[in-house]
Amino acid sequence: MENYAKYAGKHPEVDIIGTWPEDGYGFCQCEKCRQPGAVLKAVNKVAERIEQVRPDLTVEYLSYTKETSNVPPEILPRRNMAILVANIRVATEWLKKSEKVSGRGVYQLNYHIADNSAHRASLPRRYIACSGRNSASG
Ligand SMILES: [Zn+2]
């Protein structure tokens, strides 16, 4: 958590910071970590710490496997987070959660978009602009 905060403070050029767990696999299987929403709770703590240093920085949460997608409705992302969904079926639910906290929206993992942004790395992406219902539904 402190490493994220240190990095965020030293790199004002960074607009978004990823918090992917093990590229989606290899989760700890202890009782606490198996609780639904455990990953989001952990990322929320990271996001809270980052917000103290860089409130403008967007913390990316990856919704990919059941550990990161099956999150009870009462566990919400922090407002400084954007949700990256690998499966479009969970996008609407995440969008509702993001809107509840005035968060930074939802976008879908798309390797063409990633490749595109890599070629234009100096242009910040404004996630709020692509988090509308149209992008979430299709
Ligand atoms: Zn554990």
Side-chain angles (χ1 to χ4, degrees):
M1 196 152 55
E2 282 312 306
N3 285 341
Y4 272 109
K6 257 187 227 165
Y7 182 87
K10 281 184 192 164
H11 294 275
E13 75 281 8
V14 174
D15 272 344
I16 182 162
I17 193 159
T19 59
W20 293 28
E22 306 279 354
D23 200 15
Y25 294 94
F27 294 95
C28 174
Q29 294 299 315
C30 82
E31 197 175 324
K32 275 189 171 181
C33 293
R34 280 188 287 133
Q35 296 297 313
V39 177
L40 179 57
K41 282 182 176 176
V43 174
N44 274 344
K45 285 185 180 172
V46 171
E48 183 178 8
R49 182 68 186 98
I50 286 174
E51 192 175 37
Q52 294 165 356
V53 182
R54 288 274 315 279
D56 61 304
L57 183 59
T58 296
V59 177
E60 180 185 85
Y61 175 81
L62 172 66
S63 170
Y64 185 23
T65 61
K66 64 179 169 45
E67 291 87 349
T68 52
S69 296
N70 298 346
V71 176
E74 69 276 11
I75 303 175
L76 298 171
R78 285 188 61 82
R79 64 181 173 224
N80 59 332
M81 286 168 59
I83 314 300
L84 172 61
V85 295
N87 186 331
I88 199 68
R89 283 178 300 183
V90 297
T92 304
E93 185 188 333
W94 279 115
L95 184 59
K96 281 182 195 158
K97 285 184 169 192
S98 183
E99 286 173 349
K100 247 186 203 171
V101 298
S102 301
R104 301 195 183 162
V106 174
Y107 52 101
Q108 185 181 16
L109 182 65
N110 180 318
Y111 287 106
H112 293 298
I113 288 173
D115 292 346
N116 189 49
S117 64
H119 289 298
R120 292 161 180 78
S122 60
L123 298 176
R125 286 193 284 180
R126 297 299 171 208
Y127 295 94
I128 204 82
C130 54
S131 65
R133 298 212 177 272
N134 288 340
S135 58
S137 62

